[in-house]
Amino acid sequence: MGPVRLALLLAAAAVLLGPGGGAVTEAVYIPYNTSAGVVAGKLNVHLVPHTHDDVGWLKTVDQYYVGSNNSIQAACVQNVLDSMVSALLKDENRKFIYVEQAFFQRWWRQQSNSTKDIVKDLVGFDALYFSRIDYQDREVRKGAKTLETVWRSSKTFGSSADIFSGIFPINYEPPPGEFYFEVDAESPLVQDDRLLFDYNVEQRVNDFVHAALSQANITRTNHIMFTMGTDFKYQYAESWFRQMDKLIHYVNKDGRVNALYSTPSIYTDAKFAANVAWPLKTDDFFPYADKPNSYWTGYFTSRPALKQYVRLMSGYYLAARQLEFFKGRSNLGITTDSLADALALAQHHDAVTGTEKQHVANDYAKRLSIGYNKAEELVSSSLSCLSESGSKKICSSTTANFIQCPLLNITYCPPSEMNFSQGRSLVVLVYNSLGWKREDVIRIPVMSDLVVVHDSEGAEIESQLLPIANFSLNIRDKYTKAYMGTSPAAKPKFWLAFPASVPPLGFNTYFVSSGNRSESVSSAFTLYSQGNNSSNRQVGQGRLKLQFSAAGALSVYSDSKTQVEENFEQNYKYYIGDDGSGGDPQNSGAYIFRPKGTVPITTGGQVPLTILRGPILDEVHQQINSWIYQITRVYKGKDYVETEFIIGPIPVDDENGKELSAEIVTNMATNKTFYTDSSGRDFIKRVRDYRSDWKLEVHQPIAGNYYPVNLGIYVEDGSKELSVLVDRSVGGSSIKDGQIELMLHRRLVYDDGRGVDEALDEPVCIDNHCEGLVIQGKYYMKIDERGEGARWRRTFGQEIYSPLLLAFSEQDGGNWVNSHVPKFSSMDPTYSLPDNVALLTLQELEDASVLLRLAHLYEAGEHKDLSALASVDLKRVFRDKKISKIVETNLSANQERAAMEKNRLKWKVEGPIPHENVVRGGPVDLSKLVVQLGPMEIRTFIISFEHR
């Protein structure tokens, strides 16, 4: 030992020893008292330990769980869960909240029964607490002490759907004052060993009390919440809990405030017990900005292909669960569970939103694809059984081999591209997952124009051939190779279109074969180049007609039945993504929409038109520019316009990110007002540059007026409604009166600084050549008399979400109808659900009971006839089964409705009590088995059947 080191040790010993070598004090064991509860008359500080662990963001869900790929982010959620439970078992007073179910599921499967029993006692849910609201809104609420409010989010349900909602003062992290206690955190620990130099109990208590009093000054009642945790914390939970043990112990000895371990439920109960009136919130919290030029409205559109994939798989899953039930979950050997897991994962706020790294987005898509493949096998097996046996018996083996076409949207469907020769024909089984009869037009690619279509009764039906555009064929070649690794050998020449009529919760069968068409069936199509003859520029064989101007732009919409006529334009434009070079470094990115300029997409004069006419539909093809192709369709039997778009790759050679929007412009006087849906349910009134809760300071007049559009958006004036429905979630707005715009695609060159550290630039790579993503999709437009648009938005909205499911088989000689069931419905053949009711869930559970959800589609007052009480006859829905037991549950089906309503907290709100007339369905009588639904009501049941 060197002399210097020895001297330091002797000096340290002298400090610790008194004269004669006696000890000044002793280190002793301190039993920390963490048993404090709520104390009346004091400021109660509820410490809520929590962690927020994304199920995929910078890393995939599995990488986060096991702690791999730590060069991106060091986090191991399995450690969090293990250490959390270990820490909780050391002290029964400790609490913890953890909400990421996908991680919990992985961990749960590995636990013993004794651990599971302990964890079950830790779960509960009573209120809603969150962080992200507009920065201006937050500051106003701090000053007015309205961070905590009663949220009445439904006009239809009024106070019966009130929920207490708390907004955190800053974020969902610990309060200011350095209270982060991760192992590697820099916050000072509570050092209570007086033998050590950095003893700091008094300072740490003062810091805690100061933070508590600061938060109490912006909060009502004598209860505040400290959110003790943040993203990916509690890798070693004991480090957090040990420090909180000390804080609770010493703060309560100090006595100025009372600290306690708590949960949101305990905190909510304390707020309720205060028996005070709370401010009322009646709209939503969109759009959100965390700074003046930082509106989180870009993610409404980010990764549009993934958004559509999630939407398509959701509708497919609904149908697959129905088919799983019809033939019996236990009889199939395969289940829909894999697709269910993938879809649940995709609902994460960094998944379908498009705010993840590219490799994580790929992982989400891969999981959806795997889930689909397994569900596809189940669907094919179920349809084979049903087509051979109907619902009368269980089939043990099937001869029909049904194939589906997941790439039909890019014109690739191998079974329909067969050679119709030597008596071969294509069997097209069309399944309808909706609860009412459905009429629609089927489109499949075929190789020859010598084809005819017959229905299930053998009658030839009207059909139409349309040549496939080269632009579509190019997309087919490119993306089929990207998806399958090889290009298709041959190219189909035509789309074959024919009408289909399908019963509710059932299927119909059609047959395509070679042959010459009957004289009464026209397949003629005519090509028109743009000309001066105005009649050549009008399309529509039925009540709806569109007129195109001489320049090739849409100009007039007219409906002969309703007498609605409106001049309008349909255009494309893009916003230049801000690169942060103008003083504020905020870029446009995956989260943030910050435009720095608007560029209309001009065509240099005229847009060449190619018009295809036929007995079923008319199409107008337009090459808008080198990277935008559009097809406008008007069906003879439909009363809306369908617009298909193919967009991309968006060019960024000029190093400008671009955010592409389509807009519809009319002369309607809409007074700054438009309406967007809330998760496909209530439509919420939006007013441009206005917020109902505070006086908005406008910094971003475009991004600050964008809202999520999941189902649709509409505007109205004194006489008309213009509605637009979408096939996936997008961002949308009405930037000027009479106009609606939808952002369809985004490609950006800079990261927006919200953690992803990656530009939103999705690549598609084929043979080591990469280019930007091309997307294909549709939106739909209709103009109605005022008050009549809701019927189309609600009914057709369900059809968009649940498209007809197509399955194909081949008939090689023989007679399919004699050996198969050509038409099937699980319901009474004379019954369908009411026009205002949708079936959301029909799922067989593991114990053979069935989960049923029914939803009323209309808000109160939304439609003069359909916003009324509806009734569903379960005896006719389940025609071949006898219900022995029916239990109504809450929406998530984890507790009975009666128990939920008994425990529901009814909050006082400020202001006069309004007169309400909330209509809800009554209890279900087991003898009558009729379910009533009031406007916007969703009712959930678990049903058991008698075994026969």
Side-chain angles (χ1 to χ4, degrees):
M1 181 179 294
V4 175
R5 186 177 180 191
L6 176 60
L8 289 173
L9 286 174
L10 290 174
V15 172
L16 297 175
L17 299 175
V24 173
T25 184
E26 296 181 359
V28 297
Y29 168 74
I30 303 173
Y32 300 113
N33 181 4
T34 61
S35 62
V38 169
V39 176
K42 279 193 174 183
L43 175 61
N44 291 276
V45 185
H46 295 249
L47 272 65
V48 178
H50 78 101
T51 184
H52 170 79
D53 300 341
D54 296 291
V55 287
W57 178 39
L58 309 183
K59 304 196 297 187
T60 70
V61 58
D62 287 347
Q63 289 172 342
Y64 273 134
Y65 183 68
V66 301
S68 62
N69 201 3
N70 286 337
S71 62
I72 292 179
Q73 187 179 33
C76 177
V77 178
Q78 188 173 16
N79 286 350
V80 171
L81 286 159
D82 288 337
S83 66
M84 172 196 78
V85 173
S86 176
L88 295 180
L89 293 177
K90 291 181 180 180
D91 186 340
E92 64 181 8
N93 298 312
R94 293 173 172 179
K95 305 286 191 269
F96 200 93
I97 180 169
Y98 180 86
V99 295
E100 298 291 358
Q101 186 174 354
F103 288 135
F104 187 79
Q105 180 192 56
R106 287 163 166 74
W107 180 83
W108 182 258
R109 292 168 178 164
Q110 301 171 355
Q111 304 312 305
S112 66
N113 288 334
S114 59
T115 300
K116 289 180 179 179
D117 289 339
I118 293 169
V119 173
K120 285 178 181 177
D121 293 332
L122 302 174
V123 181
F125 178 74
D126 294 297
L128 177 67
Y129 296 95
F130 60 100
S131 169
R132 292 192 170 114
I133 66 167
D134 188 276
Y135 72 101
Q136 295 181 41
D137 192 6
R138 190 191 305 273
E139 291 307 308
V140 170
R141 289 178 179 276
K142 283 181 179 180
K145 292 190 175 183
T146 57
L147 283 170
E148 293 175 324
T149 181
V150 170
W151 193 3
R152 184 172 298 167
S153 59
S154 171
K155 302 184 294 291
T156 298
F157 292 136
S159 61
S160 67
D162 286 356
I163 186 169
F164 185 77
S165 304
I167 301 154
F168 301 136
I170 301 177
N171 206 327
Y172 50 88
E173 304 189 6
E178 297 186 287
F179 293 101
Y180 292 85
F181 299 125
E182 200 72 6
V183 172
D184 58 352
E186 297 182 358
S187 296
L189 303 178
V190 180
Q191 179 55 270
D192 58 352
D193 187 345
R194 292 182 179 273
L195 295 178
L196 303 180
F197 281 176
D198 54 353
Y199 177 83
N200 65 354
V201 169
E202 182 177 334
Q203 181 59 50
R204 292 272 67 195
V205 168
N206 286 340
D207 293 340
F208 186 96
V209 172
H210 175 74
L213 295 176
S214 296
Q215 187 165 326
N217 286 333
I218 56 174
T219 310
R220 301 186 185 193
T221 80
N222 63 330
H223 296 274
I224 63 171
M225 182 195 297
F226 279 3
T227 50
M228 300 302 293
T230 185
D231 295 3
F232 297 101
K233 302 306 179 186
Y234 290 82
Q235 297 289 320
Y236 179 57
E238 186 61 28
S239 66
W240 281 87
F241 281 111
R242 187 66 171 171
Q243 296 305 309
M244 286 187 285
D245 288 349
K246 293 181 179 183
L247 284 172
I248 291 171
H249 177 80
Y250 290 114
V251 165
N252 290 344
K253 285 185 68 175
D254 174 83
R256 284 176 285 173
V257 301
N258 178 60
L260 67 150
Y261 275 124
S262 189
T263 66
S265 290
I266 295 171
Y267 179 75
T268 302
D269 289 340
K271 288 286 185 178
F272 183 76
N275 197 32
V276 300
W278 297 94
L280 186 65
K281 172 76 172 176
T282 56
D283 53 2
D284 64 8
F285 292 90
F286 285 118
Y288 162 59
D290 57 13
K291 291 186 298 184
N293 296 312
S294 304
Y295 276 92
W296 293 39
T297 54
Y299 78 79
F300 300 158
T301 299
S302 296
R303 302 193 187 278
L306 178 63
K307 282 178 165 64
Q308 187 186 36
Y309 197 24
V310 171
R311 178 67 56 85
L312 286 173
M313 289 299 98
S314 296
Y316 188 84
Y317 176 52
L318 183 149
R321 286 191 301 191
Q322 295 173 3
L323 293 166
E324 184 177 40
F325 162 65
F326 295 152
K327 295 315 300 177
R329 181 181 172 99
S330 61
N331 298 322
L332 293 168
I334 47 178
T335 72
T336 57
D337 292 350
S338 179
L339 182 55
D341 288 347
L343 282 168
L345 198 66
Q347 301 310 309
H348 174 58
H349 64 252
D350 285 310
V352 68
T353 54
T355 54
E356 64 279 88
K357 280 185 177 290
Q358 185 62 50
H359 79 102
V360 180
N362 296 342
D363 185 68
Y364 290 129
K366 179 180 179 181
R367 292 171 186 274
L368 287 168
S369 178
I370 293 170
Y372 168 79
N373 288 336
K374 294 181 179 179
E376 181 185 40
E377 184 181 352
L378 179 146
V379 166
S380 296
S381 176
S382 296
L383 291 176
S384 296
C385 287
L386 290 170
S387 68
E388 294 187 12
S389 63
S391 59
K392 302 301 181 183
K393 61 182 180 179
I394 297 173
C395 65
S396 56
S397 62
T398 58
T399 57
N401 178 30
F402 280 104
I403 302 172
Q404 296 160 63
C405 292
L407 300 184
L408 186 59
N409 66 315
I410 57 169
T411 328
Y412 181 66
C413 184
S416 73
E417 298 167 22
M418 64 184 289
N419 179 11
F420 297 107
S421 63
Q422 300 177 345
R424 299 170 68 197
S425 62
L426 178 70
V427 180
V428 184
L429 187 148
V430 185
Y431 179 76
N432 172 24
S433 61
L434 297 180
W436 55 74
K437 182 181 177 181
R438 183 165 175 184
E439 311 279 347
D440 211 338
V441 175
I442 305 300
R443 294 165 54 91
I444 55 175
V446 294
M447 294 299 218
S448 169
D449 59 349
L450 299 176
V451 292
V452 293
V453 183
H454 293 84
D455 64 18
S456 57
E457 297 178 354
E460 184 178 340
I461 63 173
E462 191 173 53
S463 62
Q464 180 179 343
L465 289 168
L466 301 101
I468 300 175
N470 288 332
F471 203 91
S472 297
L473 291 174
N474 292 337
I475 296 298
R476 164 194 161 96
D477 289 346
K478 180 186 300 182
Y479 279 82
T480 300
K481 186 169 186 180
Y483 187 85
M484 302 183 61
T486 182
S487 297
K491 294 182 180 181
K493 297 180 180 179
F494 304 99
W495 282 108
L496 172 66
F498 60 91
S501 176
V502 195
L505 295 185
F507 63 75
N508 203 350
T509 311
Y510 296 86
F511 304 91
V512 182
S513 57
S514 64
N516 295 317
R517 298 161 181 268
S518 302
E519 291 184 3
S520 61
V521 180
S522 171
S523 64
F525 54 85
T526 306
L527 294 168
Y528 289 92
S529 296
Q530 186 176 328
N532 294 324
N533 186 345
S534 62
S535 64
N536 286 349
R537 299 195 301 270
Q538 180 175 285
V539 297
Q541 305 295 311
R543 57 183 273 191
L544 178 61
K545 290 181 171 54
L546 298 179
Q547 180 74 37
F548 287 78
S549 70
L554 275 170
S555 59
V556 181
Y557 173 110
S558 60
D559 187 323
S560 60
K561 182 177 180 179
T562 63
Q563 300 301 307
V564 167
E565 183 169 301
E566 181 67 28
N567 295 329
F568 74 103
E569 297 177 6
Q570 190 267 340
N571 305 306
Y572 289 94
K573 63 184 178 183
Y574 66 81
Y575 297 106
I576 300 173
D578 202 300
D579 59 4
S581 61
D584 184 338
Q586 180 62 65
N587 301 321
S588 207
Y591 294 88
I592 307 300
F593 174 31
R594 188 189 179 192
K596 71 173 182 180
T598 306
V599 180
I601 293 179
T602 59
T603 57
Q606 298 181 339
V607 180
L609 301 181
T610 299
I611 299 177
L612 311 180
R613 301 187 193 276
I616 297 174
L617 75 154
D618 288 357
E619 285 189 349
V620 179
H621 290 243
Q622 295 172 279
Q623 181 81 57
I624 306 299
N625 66 9
S626 62
W627 48 278
I628 302 175
Y629 192 88
Q630 176 177 291
I631 305 172
T632 305
R633 297 190 180 96
V634 181
Y635 295 86
K636 181 178 180 180
K638 305 290 185 181
D639 57 358
Y640 58 84
V641 180
E642 176 183 296
T643 300
E644 180 176 348
F645 52 85
I646 302 173
I647 300 171
I650 297 176
V652 290
D653 296 343
D654 57 3
E655 298 186 356
N656 283 326
K658 299 176 180 64
E659 315 190 46
L660 192 282
S661 290
E663 64 173 346
I664 298 165
V665 183
T666 73
N667 295 321
M668 296 169 63
T670 54
N671 193 28
K672 296 187 176 181
T673 302
F674 57 105
Y675 300 82
T676 64
D677 70 283
S678 177
S679 299
R681 300 291 289 166
D682 294 75
F683 274 86
I684 299 180
K685 180 179 180 179
R686 314 294 191 184
V687 179
R688 196 161 58 249
D689 293 334
Y690 172 80
R691 306 291 187 266
S692 61
D693 291 340
W694 81 96
K695 183 176 175 57
L696 177 67
E697 185 177 341
V698 179
H699 297 282
Q700 288 288 325
I702 297 174
N705 286 299
Y706 254 69
Y707 291 87
V709 177
N710 304 291
L711 168 64
I713 179 173
Y714 72 94
V715 293
E716 61 183 15
D717 61 13
S719 61
K720 295 185 291 292
E721 296 180 33
L722 165 64
S723 305
V724 181
L725 302 184
V726 295
D727 68 348
R728 74 201 73 188
S729 295
V730 298
S733 186
S734 178
I735 297 300
K736 56 186 178 181
D737 281 2
Q739 178 251 26
I740 286 177
E741 68 177 67
L742 301 171
M743 185 180 290
L744 302 179
H745 199 0
R746 313 178 74 217
R747 187 182 185 189
L748 299 162
V749 295
Y750 300 104
D751 175 64
D752 57 13
R754 293 306 182 278
V756 177
D757 197 26
E758 191 175 273
L760 181 68
D761 185 4
E762 301 179 82
V764 175
C765 300
I766 304 171
D767 296 333
N768 296 320
H769 172 71
C770 298
E771 61 182 19
L773 177 72
V774 176
I775 64 161
Q776 176 271 348
K778 298 175 183 176
Y779 65 85
Y780 310 84
M781 182 192 76
K782 192 172 189 295
I783 303 177
D784 289 282
E785 298 172 285
R786 187 176 182 185
E788 291 300 319
R791 180 189 288 270
W792 179 70
R793 291 192 294 268
R794 296 301 187 180
T795 301
F796 186 62
Q798 290 298 305
E799 295 183 2
I800 296 173
Y801 178 77
S802 299
L804 291 170
L805 190 159
L806 305 183
F808 304 90
S809 190
E810 182 181 338
Q811 180 180 223
D812 191 0
N815 191 321
W816 180 277
V817 175
N818 289 342
S819 58
H820 293 80
V821 177
K823 186 179 292 188
F824 164 81
S825 175
S826 69
M827 295 168 59
D828 185 312
T830 62
Y831 184 73
S832 66
L833 294 185
D835 291 344
N836 51 5
V837 174
L839 187 150
L840 298 186
T841 306
L842 179 60
Q843 176 185 9
E844 183 176 349
L845 304 178
E846 292 182 358
D847 63 356
S849 62
V850 169
L851 178 64
L852 174 72
R853 286 193 189 91
L854 298 167
H856 197 298
L857 294 174
Y858 289 78
E859 301 174 55
E862 185 177 12
H863 191 273
K864 63 181 185 299
D865 300 319
L866 296 170
S867 294
L869 191 71
S871 297
V872 175
D873 187 341
L874 296 184
K875 290 181 180 179
R876 302 180 74 184
V877 171
F878 300 102
R879 62 171 180 170
D880 295 322
K881 296 178 180 293
K882 183 173 177 58
I883 295 174
S884 60
K885 183 181 180 182
I886 181 168
V887 176
E888 185 165 9
T889 70
N890 62 349
L891 186 63
S892 54
N894 62 4
Q895 61 178 310
E896 293 190 18
R897 175 176 174 174
M900 176 199 71
E901 292 182 338
K902 180 180 179 181
N903 296 324
R904 190 179 187 91
L905 302 179
K906 295 178 174 59
W907 299 86
K908 292 182 178 180
V909 297
E910 296 175 341
I913 300 175
H915 173 72
E916 295 179 335
N917 182 27
V918 177
V919 177
R920 289 184 182 267
V924 178
D925 187 312
L926 187 59
S927 61
K928 297 180 179 179
L929 291 172
V930 173
V931 176
Q932 296 178 319
L933 297 107
M936 277 288 105
E937 189 171 20
I938 300 177
R939 299 187 70 177
T940 306
F941 303 92
I942 295 179
I943 299 175
S944 300
F945 299 100
E946 288 186 3
H947 296 288
R948 294 182 176 179

